[in-house]
Each structure stands twice: as C-alpha cells, then as structure tokens.
Amino acid sequence: MDGMRQRLLFMSIFAAMSIFAAKAQSPAPIVVQAASAATVSSAATVSAPAAQDSEALQAALKSLQEIKTANDETLKKQEAALQQLDELQKAADQVKIFGKRG
C-alpha cells in the first residue's frame, strides 16, 4: 500500500510541476505603441532627467572612489599594526623560552 501512496504522491507532484512549467513558458503579450509627434516631444523632456541621473552617477562614483581610497589607507594601517603585533608576540615567546631556561 505504501508503494501505491508513493506513486500517487509522485504523480501529483509531477502534475503540479508540469502545470507551473506550462504557465512559466507562456510569456505575457508585449504592447508597443506607435511612434508619434507626442512621443518625440516627450523624448526631448526625458533627456533632462537622464542628464541629472548621469551627474548623480558621476557624483556617486567619485564618492565611492574616495571611500575606496580611505579603505585602502585603513587596510595599510591595519596591516602594519598586525605586523607589529606579530613581532611583539615573537618577542614575548622568546622571553618565555629564555625565562624557562634560567
């Protein structure tokens, strides 16, 4: 009886998956409007916001470059600090070794 339930479950899952796959394969219709004088005049007004977007993108890029430079400097400082800590750790280990000998 369990084999029959497993088959039924498998078939129902397979049926559900095929329904979802069929829905996913049918694309929605695309509506394209015809070009007209109104569309051309609106295209001219679209270029002004596009210029503002370009300026905003340039400003964002500049600020990101500044942040990257600051991060690189911070990473260099951290690397130097880690090297100093490693040297201190080595020195401390040597002191421990010499302390145990004496």
Side-chain angles (χ1 to χ4, degrees), residues 49-95:
Q52 290 175 351
D53 288 344
S54 176
E55 291 173 5
L57 287 173
Q58 292 295 331
L61 181 63
K62 183 178 178 181
S63 67
L64 285 174
Q65 288 172 341
E66 291 171 357
I67 291 170
K68 183 185 180 302
T69 302
N71 284 344
D72 288 342
E73 291 173 5
T74 302
L75 287 172
K76 287 179 184 177
K77 289 178 185 178
Q78 289 177 347
E79 182 66 31
L82 284 174
Q83 287 177 354
Q84 287 178 348
L85 287 173
D86 285 341
E87 291 172 6
L88 286 173
Q89 182 67 41
K90 288 177 185 176
D93 289 342
Q94 287 179 355
V95 168

Side-chain angles (χ1 to χ4, degrees), residues 5-63:
R5 285 185 182 171
Q6 288 178 349
R7 286 183 189 169
L8 182 61
L9 179 64
F10 177 74
M11 291 175 66
S12 63
I13 291 173
F14 181 74
M17 297 279 287
S18 59
I19 289 171
F20 288 126
K23 285 184 180 181
Q25 290 179 358
S26 57
I30 298 173
V31 179
V32 179
Q33 295 179 352
S36 64
T39 308
V40 173
S41 65
S42 66
T45 59
V46 171
S47 65
Q52 290 175 351
D53 288 344
S54 176
E55 291 173 5
L57 287 173
Q58 292 295 331
L61 181 63
K62 183 178 178 181
S63 67

